[in-house]
Amino acid sequence: TLVNGSACIARAQSDSIVLTGADRRPQMSLNGEWHAIPDQYGTGIYDFHNHERKDGWFLNQHFKPGGPPMDYDFATAPTLKVPGDWNTQRPELFWYEGPMWYEKDFHYDLKPGTKIFLRIGAANYKSIFWINGKKVCEHEGGFTAFACDITAALKPDTNFIVAMVDNTRRDDGVPTAQTDWFNYGGLTREVSLITVPGAFIDQYDLHLSRDSKDTIEGWVHVEGGQGGDKVSVSIGETGAKTEATLKADGVADIEMKAPGLKLWSPESPKLYPVAIKAGSDSVNELMGFRTIEVKGTEILLNGKPIFLRGVSIHAEAPYRTGRAWSEKDAETLLGWAKQLGCNFARLAHYPHDENMLRAADKLGILIWSENPVYWAVEFDNLAVYDKARRQLDEEINTSRDHASIILWSMANETPVNDARTKFISSLATEARKLDPTRLITAALLVRTQGTTKIVDDPLGQYLDVIGTNEYTGWYEGDLSTIDKTTWQIAYDKPQIMSEFGGGAKAGKHTPANSFFTEEYQAELYKHQFGMLSKIPQLRGMSPWCLMDFRSPRRMLSGIQDDFNRKGLVSDQGVKKQAFAVLQKAYLSKAVGKA
Ligand code: GCB
């Protein structure tokens, strides 16, 4: 069954576009030091009667000795590193939530006939960008990449960029004002300039056909392309090559024979260089090919049942704390997952950066990627739906080139009511339309009746895989409660225990076997394995979680110190006893069948 590429194109935010595999393109990095000024009162945009200023800080004016008074000058302001959250860079910004201004000068030589995009890996939460004083785009959503066309605003040679990034938590945001993670603000992922020809490849999808193991299918969209133009796709290593023709909407559907293809899997994460060409534009990809399906209560990878031995991971930087973004961060986090014996990771609770996805492709770790619809967002607010839908579009279309991603998760622990079920099932419909090749899931809350856990959330009917979170032995009861717990699941579908766990402060051993000791956490895992092994349709697990992470909800002094301590590893990389317990279970395959 061929995917209809025309239905899969992301509807981006009004003035930005979505680029698939942007990190595969040559680009000029704007990483480094940017001048930065916090602006708690919004002075850079609003005057003293709260009217929008024409001479806002985006003009980047300078204070000259002897000249008129000024209230800012980027040139003499201190700098912040980009990428990077501001909270962990200056002590006085640790708890700061509000607008932050950034400025950077750069040189650029325009080439005739090209377009230049400013590509932002992520800016938390709302952001506005100006080039040489001219506004180029606005964006909402702190964890997805977007690109703005800055061609018309650029000058030859010397230019400046100003960004305003505002991490104010909002009731009508996605996520909302309540989360169990730290609201790191700033230009938290890489920023760069990408040059493309007038007609260029913006989005594409290439995947193994479910029907034939030697056929790659999908589509390529050429922005600015004309019906009749040609697109080619080739895999040099196998000699596979095809040429396709753009339809009037700029989409070319692809079907390519690729005999002898080695399929991507955790045991053998084979990646192929893939060249995609359209006119004078090209993208050099590195891709794996595999299928993922559900059959009854089985999850099939390349047609074979698989059990997902996973762990949940936040984008928290190991050792230094702060928002993770680098290749090194990704290799440390996924390196620990590998040591545990994982073939799977749940990247909670928002889309992670592309270094993480590249590392997962390379290391052979299957990925659950999550839209930040977390807890109680405003489900009856259409504008909020639109924010969630756009972030989902961006998530899918920026990262669909990664073989590691097998699950799109719509939401986490949302309250059960009609408005919410409509909201999330609509997101699921959207995700299926954009990407019919992967599985749809969500982490559900479960009901407790005595010692029975009941999974009958109506949202389940819209999912391919049922994710469930439970904290027996931590928020509910003790270790003996876990042993007595049985499960009743209304859906004949695969289940992933997407969270379970308990807190422990690394190095805490007393009072013996009490909450927050390493021993209690380790025992909790052992009891959980016993309970989990009794669920016939369990097909995976991602205990909560790999590493301690900052959360302003966790203020218990001497133990939490504003960290959620449910990590198997401390934020400083110290492994707790439960790490070895999970490792033993995974490596010996004591949990999970396949
Ligand atoms: C949950 C949430 C997760 C929290 C965790 C906890 O159920 O999904 O974001 O951090 O519990 O530690 O309470």
Side-chain angles (χ1 to χ4, degrees):
T1 43
L2 269 178
V3 169
N4 173 14
S6 306
C8 304
I9 312 300
R11 289 172 287 160
Q13 312 213 4
S14 56
D15 47 11
S16 60
I17 66 158
V18 178
L19 291 172
T20 309
D23 58 316
R24 305 293 186 194
R25 287 179 175 271
Q27 45 208 289
M28 184 184 122
S29 175
L30 290 179
N31 292 350
E33 301 289 336
W34 292 49
H35 294 286
I37 309 177
D39 182 21
Q40 198 166 29
Y41 289 3
T43 311
I45 297 229
Y46 299 106
D47 71 11
F48 72 133
H49 284 171
N50 217 27
H51 297 130
E52 246 181 78
R53 291 171 59 165
K54 292 202 167 48
D55 63 342
W57 293 4
F58 43 83
L59 293 184
N60 185 24
Q61 291 177 320
H62 298 290
F63 175 61
K64 298 185 191 77
M70 290 280 298
D71 293 316
Y72 79 103
D73 187 347
F74 288 115
T76 51
T79 61
L80 286 173
K81 282 192 181 56
V82 173
D85 61 84
W86 63 63
N87 314 77
T88 59
Q89 293 193 55
R90 285 188 208 164
E92 72 274 21
L93 294 178
F94 186 73
W95 292 111
Y96 180 69
E97 291 187 312
M100 175 73 71
W101 289 81
Y102 288 86
E103 188 277 339
K104 191 176 180 69
D105 297 330
F106 63 96
H107 292 272
Y108 202 81
D109 289 315
L110 284 162
K111 283 180 216 78
T114 60
K115 278 185 197 281
I116 296 92
F117 284 93
L118 169 67
R119 203 250 176 181
I120 293 104
N124 190 33
Y125 168 77
K126 274 191 167 196
S127 53
I128 309 179
F129 295 83
W130 295 264
I131 300 283
N132 301 321
K134 193 166 182 269
K135 185 163 151 184
V136 289
C137 62
E138 245 178 88
H139 186 266
E140 183 163 352
F143 299 97
T144 42
F146 53 100
C148 344
D149 187 345
I150 62 167
T151 318
L154 277 182
K155 296 184 305 186
D157 198 28
T158 312
N159 294 271
F160 66 87
I161 175 170
V162 172
M164 206 256 325
V165 183
D166 184 351
N167 73 333
T168 306
R169 284 168 299 118
R170 308 170 57 95
D171 291 340
D172 67 349
V174 178
T176 179
Q178 290 292 343
T179 65
D180 187 21
W181 69 80
F182 199 91
N183 181 30
Y184 294 116
L187 294 169
T188 52
R189 295 181 190 163
E190 301 181 67
V191 180
S192 62
L193 298 180
I194 297 180
T195 304
V196 294
F200 61 97
I201 301 159
D202 60 343
Q203 297 172 30
Y204 51 87
D205 186 289
L206 296 170
H207 56 266
L208 190 67
S209 161
R210 278 184 185 165
D211 309 322
S212 146
K213 296 280 172 273
D214 61 5
T215 304
I216 289 171
E217 55 182 39
W219 51 271
V220 176
H221 179 252
V222 178
E223 180 62 31
Q226 304 291 316
D229 287 357
K230 300 290 181 204
V231 166
S232 76
V233 177
S234 60
I235 305 182
E237 206 177 313
T238 70
K241 192 172 171 51
T242 192
E243 196 177 68
T245 306
L246 289 193
K247 298 178 287 188
D249 62 0
V251 173
D253 289 319
I254 304 289
E255 191 175 8
M256 175 170 81
K257 285 281 162 221
L261 209 58
K262 272 213 203 139
L263 303 193
W264 185 97
S265 70
E267 297 74 40
S268 157
K270 170 71 184 162
L271 299 174
Y272 288 98
V274 179
I276 309 168
K277 294 200 173 90
S280 57
D281 194 27
S282 61
V283 180
N284 292 306
E285 264 288 1
L286 191 59
M287 300 183 82
F289 297 96
R290 51 106 195 95
T291 56
I292 191 77
E293 292 163 274
V294 155
K295 197 171 160 205
T297 62
E298 296 291 350
I299 298 175
L300 306 180
L301 178 74
N302 297 326
K304 289 195 240 47
I306 185 164
F307 189 89
L308 303 173
R309 296 183 178 82
V311 69
S312 293
I313 307 180
H314 255 298
E316 182 92 3
Y319 300 108
R320 65 173 197 279
T321 80
R323 182 58 72 226
W325 64 270
S326 70
E327 200 177 327
K328 198 166 162 238
D329 292 338
E331 286 183 351
T332 304
L333 292 168
L334 291 180
W336 284 328
K338 268 296 213 199
Q339 279 178 31
L340 279 169
C342 291
N343 59 9
F344 171 61
R346 173 183 181 207
L347 303 186
H349 281 299
Y350 37 75
H352 286 214
D353 65 86
E354 58 228 13
N355 287 311
M356 199 68 176
L357 299 174
R358 275 190 187 213
D361 283 350
K362 193 174 86 183
L363 295 169
I365 298 186
L366 296 156
I367 293 295
W368 160 316
S369 178
E370 190 159 316
N371 199 31
V373 177
Y374 182 88
W375 293 351
V377 311
E378 291 182 353
F379 291 112
D380 44 15
N381 182 338
L382 268 178
V384 170
Y385 177 75
D386 216 47
K387 293 175 194 184
R389 200 268 302 151
R390 282 177 178 170
Q391 291 188 55
L392 180 72
D393 271 22
E394 290 173 339
E395 173 190 6
I396 292 179
N397 275 292
T398 52
S399 56
R400 64 192 320 155
D401 54 331
H402 294 278
S404 52
I405 301 177
I406 52 166
L407 286 155
W408 299 122
S409 170
M410 301 298 104
N412 180 73
E413 292 187 353
T414 50
V416 182
N417 62 59
D418 292 348
R420 158 286 199 171
T421 302
K422 187 161 174 249
F423 185 109
I424 300 176
S425 61
S426 303
L427 285 179
T429 304
E430 172 79 4
R432 281 208 176 83
K433 195 187 79 196
L434 291 175
D435 183 7
T437 75
R438 290 179 170 90
L439 308 177
I440 305 296
T441 192
L444 306 178
L445 288 166
V446 298
R447 290 199 293 130
T448 308
Q449 228 170 55
T451 53
T452 311
K453 292 278 174 208
I454 301 172
V455 184
D456 60 0
D457 183 332
L459 188 57
Q461 61 192 293
Y462 303 100
L463 308 176
D464 299 313
V465 175
I466 309 285
T468 46
N469 295 353
E470 54 92 10
Y471 280 90
T472 319
W474 187 257
Y475 296 125
E476 290 164 66
D478 54 24
L479 300 179
S480 68
T481 324
I482 306 176
D483 306 337
K484 287 179 235 142
T485 300
T486 55
W487 287 72
Q488 200 178 298
I489 302 166
Y491 301 100
D492 220 12
K493 298 182 179 187
Q495 180 205 15
I496 295 176
M497 200 61 77
S498 37
E499 287 181 29
F500 66 87
K505 184 175 160 67
K508 182 171 167 58
H509 303 286
T510 53
N513 299 319
S514 63
F515 282 151
F516 290 115
T517 59
E518 287 195 31
E519 286 77 6
Y520 188 87
Q521 185 192 37
E523 279 304 310
L524 184 146
Y525 270 72
K526 289 185 195 158
H527 287 256
Q528 285 279 347
F529 299 151
M531 182 207 74
L532 292 169
S533 65
K534 289 181 279 185
I535 309 177
Q537 71 204 74
L538 189 80
R539 293 297 171 265
M541 58 178 85
S542 48
W544 193 257
C545 58
L546 181 66
M547 192 186 77
D548 291 355
F549 58 97
R550 274 193 201 282
S551 168
R553 300 175 64 87
R554 311 293 176 176
M555 301 307 285
L556 183 63
S557 288
I559 293 181
Q560 293 175 318
D561 302 307
D562 64 65
F563 279 85
N564 183 313
R565 295 288 179 202
K566 294 191 188 70
L568 296 162
V569 179
S570 80
D571 55 290
Q572 295 305 311
V574 179
K575 289 176 179 139
K576 306 177 193 173
Q577 289 179 11
F579 188 97
V581 171
L582 182 62
Q583 184 180 46
K584 190 167 164 228
Y586 280 174
L587 293 179
S588 68
K589 313 232 158 131
V591 292
K593 31 177 221 166

Short mmCIF file of all heavy atoms in Angstrom, two decimals, residues 179-181 314 346 348-349 374-375 412-413 443 445 469-471 474-475 499 544 549 554 564 566, ligand 1:
data_model
loop_
_atom_site.label_atom_id
_atom_site.label_comp_id
_atom_site.label_asym_id
_atom_site.label_seq_id
_atom_site.Cartn_x
_atom_site.Cartn_y
_atom_site.Cartn_z
N THR A 179 3.97 21.19 35.09
CA THR A 179 4.69 20.01 34.59
C THR A 179 5.57 19.51 35.73
O THR A 179 5.83 20.24 36.67
CB THR A 179 5.61 20.32 33.39
OG1 THR A 179 6.67 21.20 33.83
CG2 THR A 179 4.85 20.93 32.24
N ASP A 180 6.06 18.29 35.60
CA ASP A 180 7.06 17.80 36.57
C ASP A 180 8.43 17.82 35.91
O ASP A 180 9.13 16.82 35.87
CB ASP A 180 6.67 16.39 37.05
CG ASP A 180 7.59 15.92 38.18
OD1 ASP A 180 8.22 16.78 38.84
OD2 ASP A 180 7.69 14.70 38.40
N TRP A 181 8.79 18.95 35.32
CA TRP A 181 10.17 19.14 34.87
C TRP A 181 10.49 20.62 34.91
O TRP A 181 9.59 21.44 35.04
CB TRP A 181 10.42 18.52 33.50
CG TRP A 181 9.75 19.19 32.32
CD1 TRP A 181 10.18 20.32 31.68
CD2 TRP A 181 8.56 18.75 31.63
NE1 TRP A 181 9.32 20.60 30.63
CE2 TRP A 181 8.33 19.67 30.58
CE3 TRP A 181 7.69 17.68 31.79
CZ2 TRP A 181 7.24 19.54 29.70
CZ3 TRP A 181 6.62 17.56 30.91
CH2 TRP A 181 6.40 18.48 29.88
N HIS A 314 14.43 11.97 30.16
CA HIS A 314 14.18 13.41 29.97
C HIS A 314 15.39 14.01 29.25
O HIS A 314 16.50 13.50 29.37
CB HIS A 314 14.05 14.11 31.32
CG HIS A 314 12.64 14.48 31.69
ND1 HIS A 314 11.89 15.35 30.95
CD2 HIS A 314 11.87 14.10 32.75
CE1 HIS A 314 10.70 15.48 31.53
NE2 HIS A 314 10.65 14.73 32.62
N ARG A 346 11.91 5.60 25.89
CA ARG A 346 10.81 6.56 25.77
C ARG A 346 11.40 7.94 26.01
O ARG A 346 11.88 8.24 27.10
CB ARG A 346 9.74 6.26 26.82
CG ARG A 346 8.67 7.32 26.86
CD ARG A 346 7.65 7.05 27.97
NE ARG A 346 6.63 8.08 27.97
CZ ARG A 346 5.94 8.44 29.04
NH1 ARG A 346 6.16 7.86 30.21
NH2 ARG A 346 5.04 9.38 28.96
N ALA A 348 10.76 11.23 26.93
CA ALA A 348 9.67 11.96 27.59
C ALA A 348 10.07 13.44 27.69
O ALA A 348 11.25 13.75 27.75
CB ALA A 348 9.48 11.41 29.01
N HIS A 349 9.10 14.28 27.79
CA HIS A 349 7.67 14.25 27.54
C HIS A 349 7.36 15.19 26.38
O HIS A 349 6.35 15.86 26.36
CB HIS A 349 6.91 14.77 28.77
CG HIS A 349 6.76 13.81 29.90
ND1 HIS A 349 6.09 12.61 29.77
CD2 HIS A 349 7.18 13.84 31.18
CE1 HIS A 349 6.09 11.98 30.94
NE2 HIS A 349 6.76 12.70 31.80
N TYR A 374 0.65 17.19 28.09
CA TYR A 374 1.00 16.61 29.39
C TYR A 374 0.00 17.08 30.44
O TYR A 374 -0.28 18.28 30.54
CB TYR A 374 2.42 17.08 29.73
CG TYR A 374 3.02 16.57 31.02
CD1 TYR A 374 3.73 15.37 31.05
CD2 TYR A 374 2.91 17.30 32.20
CE1 TYR A 374 4.32 14.91 32.22
CE2 TYR A 374 3.48 16.85 33.38
CZ TYR A 374 4.19 15.65 33.38
OH TYR A 374 4.78 15.20 34.54
N TRP A 375 -0.55 16.12 31.20
CA TRP A 375 -1.52 16.43 32.25
C TRP A 375 -2.71 17.23 31.69
O TRP A 375 -3.19 16.95 30.60
CB TRP A 375 -0.85 17.10 33.46
CG TRP A 375 0.08 16.17 34.20
CD1 TRP A 375 0.21 14.82 34.01
CD2 TRP A 375 1.01 16.51 35.25
NE1 TRP A 375 1.16 14.31 34.88
CE2 TRP A 375 1.66 15.31 35.64
CE3 TRP A 375 1.37 17.70 35.90
CZ2 TRP A 375 2.63 15.28 36.66
CZ3 TRP A 375 2.32 17.67 36.90
CH2 TRP A 375 2.95 16.47 37.28
N ASN A 412 0.46 12.43 27.70
CA ASN A 412 0.82 11.74 28.93
C ASN A 412 -0.12 12.07 30.07
O ASN A 412 -0.34 13.25 30.39
CB ASN A 412 2.24 12.13 29.36
CG ASN A 412 2.67 11.45 30.65
OD1 ASN A 412 2.95 10.26 30.66
ND2 ASN A 412 2.69 12.20 31.75
N GLU A 413 -0.71 11.03 30.68
CA GLU A 413 -1.50 11.16 31.91
C GLU A 413 -2.51 12.28 31.86
O GLU A 413 -2.53 13.15 32.73
CB GLU A 413 -0.58 11.36 33.11
CG GLU A 413 0.22 10.14 33.42
CD GLU A 413 1.02 10.27 34.73
OE1 GLU A 413 1.04 11.36 35.32
OE2 GLU A 413 1.61 9.27 35.14
N ALA A 443 0.44 7.63 26.96
CA ALA A 443 0.59 7.09 28.31
C ALA A 443 -0.67 7.43 29.10
O ALA A 443 -0.97 8.60 29.34
CB ALA A 443 1.82 7.67 28.98
N LEU A 445 -3.51 7.07 32.32
CA LEU A 445 -3.67 6.83 33.75
C LEU A 445 -4.51 5.57 33.91
O LEU A 445 -5.36 5.28 33.07
CB LEU A 445 -4.40 8.01 34.40
CG LEU A 445 -3.61 9.31 34.52
CD1 LEU A 445 -4.55 10.47 34.86
CD2 LEU A 445 -2.53 9.18 35.60
N ASN A 469 0.87 4.19 32.91
CA ASN A 469 1.78 4.61 33.97
C ASN A 469 1.19 4.16 35.31
O ASN A 469 0.00 4.33 35.54
CB ASN A 469 1.91 6.14 34.01
CG ASN A 469 2.56 6.71 32.76
OD1 ASN A 469 3.03 5.98 31.90
ND2 ASN A 469 2.59 8.02 32.66
N GLU A 470 2.03 3.60 36.16
CA GLU A 470 1.54 3.24 37.50
C GLU A 470 2.67 3.36 38.51
O GLU A 470 3.83 3.16 38.16
CB GLU A 470 0.95 1.82 37.49
CG GLU A 470 1.87 0.73 36.97
CD GLU A 470 2.71 0.03 38.02
OE1 GLU A 470 2.47 0.23 39.23
OE2 GLU A 470 3.62 -0.73 37.62
N TYR A 471 2.32 3.74 39.72
CA TYR A 471 3.33 3.96 40.75
C TYR A 471 3.04 3.16 42.02
O TYR A 471 3.22 3.64 43.13
CB TYR A 471 3.49 5.46 41.04
CG TYR A 471 4.35 6.11 39.97
CD1 TYR A 471 3.78 6.65 38.82
CD2 TYR A 471 5.74 6.10 40.08
CE1 TYR A 471 4.57 7.19 37.81
CE2 TYR A 471 6.54 6.63 39.09
CZ TYR A 471 5.95 7.18 37.95
OH TYR A 471 6.75 7.69 36.97
N TRP A 474 4.97 3.19 45.40
CA TRP A 474 5.54 4.53 45.62
C TRP A 474 4.45 5.50 46.04
O TRP A 474 4.31 5.80 47.22
CB TRP A 474 6.31 5.01 44.39
CG TRP A 474 7.03 6.30 44.70
CD1 TRP A 474 6.66 7.56 44.32
CD2 TRP A 474 8.20 6.46 45.51
NE1 TRP A 474 7.52 8.50 44.84
CE2 TRP A 474 8.49 7.85 45.57
CE3 TRP A 474 9.04 5.58 46.21
CZ2 TRP A 474 9.57 8.36 46.29
CZ3 TRP A 474 10.12 6.09 46.92
CH2 TRP A 474 10.37 7.47 46.96
N TYR A 475 3.63 5.96 45.08
CA TYR A 475 2.52 6.84 45.48
C TYR A 475 1.37 6.05 46.10
O TYR A 475 0.48 6.61 46.72
CB TYR A 475 1.99 7.65 44.27
CG TYR A 475 3.00 8.62 43.69
CD1 TYR A 475 3.35 8.58 42.35
CD2 TYR A 475 3.61 9.58 44.50
CE1 TYR A 475 4.27 9.46 41.82
CE2 TYR A 475 4.54 10.46 43.98
CZ TYR A 475 4.87 10.41 42.64
OH TYR A 475 5.79 11.27 42.11
N GLU A 499 5.52 3.84 32.47
CA GLU A 499 6.18 4.35 33.68
C GLU A 499 5.88 3.44 34.85
O GLU A 499 4.77 2.94 34.99
CB GLU A 499 5.68 5.76 34.07
CG GLU A 499 6.18 6.86 33.17
CD GLU A 499 5.71 8.26 33.60
OE1 GLU A 499 5.48 8.49 34.80
OE2 GLU A 499 5.58 9.10 32.70
N TRP A 544 10.44 4.67 34.98
CA TRP A 544 10.69 6.09 35.24
C TRP A 544 11.73 6.21 36.32
O TRP A 544 11.43 5.89 37.45
CB TRP A 544 9.38 6.77 35.68
CG TRP A 544 9.47 8.25 35.66
CD1 TRP A 544 9.62 9.08 36.72
CD2 TRP A 544 9.45 9.07 34.49
NE1 TRP A 544 9.69 10.38 36.30
CE2 TRP A 544 9.59 10.40 34.94
CE3 TRP A 544 9.35 8.82 33.11
CZ2 TRP A 544 9.62 11.49 34.05
CZ3 TRP A 544 9.38 9.89 32.24
CH2 TRP A 544 9.50 11.21 32.72
N PHE A 549 16.29 14.35 37.38
CA PHE A 549 16.12 15.57 36.59
C PHE A 549 15.50 16.66 37.46
O PHE A 549 14.76 16.39 38.41
CB PHE A 549 15.24 15.31 35.36
CG PHE A 549 13.86 14.77 35.70
CD1 PHE A 549 12.78 15.62 35.78
CD2 PHE A 549 13.67 13.42 35.97
CE1 PHE A 549 11.50 15.14 36.10
CE2 PHE A 549 12.41 12.94 36.31
CZ PHE A 549 11.33 13.79 36.37
N ARG A 554 9.78 19.37 43.34
CA ARG A 554 10.48 18.42 44.21
C ARG A 554 11.43 19.16 45.14
O ARG A 554 12.62 19.28 44.86
CB ARG A 554 11.26 17.43 43.33
CG ARG A 554 10.41 16.82 42.21
CD ARG A 554 9.32 15.94 42.76
NE ARG A 554 8.44 15.41 41.70
CZ ARG A 554 7.45 14.55 41.92
NH1 ARG A 554 7.19 14.14 43.15
NH2 ARG A 554 6.70 14.14 40.93
N ASN A 564 13.74 15.57 40.75
CA ASN A 564 12.97 14.33 40.83
C ASN A 564 14.02 13.22 40.90
O ASN A 564 14.86 13.09 40.00
CB ASN A 564 12.08 14.19 39.60
CG ASN A 564 11.20 12.95 39.65
OD1 ASN A 564 11.67 11.86 39.97
ND2 ASN A 564 9.94 13.10 39.30
N LYS A 566 13.79 9.92 40.82
CA LYS A 566 13.44 8.57 40.37
C LYS A 566 14.43 8.02 39.35
O LYS A 566 14.20 6.97 38.76
CB LYS A 566 12.01 8.55 39.82
CG LYS A 566 10.98 8.82 40.91
CD LYS A 566 9.56 8.56 40.48
CE LYS A 566 8.58 9.05 41.53
NZ LYS A 566 8.50 10.53 41.63
C1 GCB B 1 4.34 10.67 36.23
C2 GCB B 1 4.66 11.62 35.13
C3 GCB B 1 6.11 12.02 35.15
C4 GCB B 1 6.52 12.34 36.59
C5 GCB B 1 6.38 11.07 37.41
C6 GCB B 1 6.72 11.26 38.88
O1 GCB B 1 3.41 9.94 36.21
O2 GCB B 1 4.30 11.14 33.87
O3 GCB B 1 6.30 13.13 34.32
O4 GCB B 1 7.79 12.87 36.66
O5 GCB B 1 5.08 10.63 37.34
O6 GCB B 1 7.87 11.19 39.23
O7 GCB B 1 5.80 11.48 39.65
#
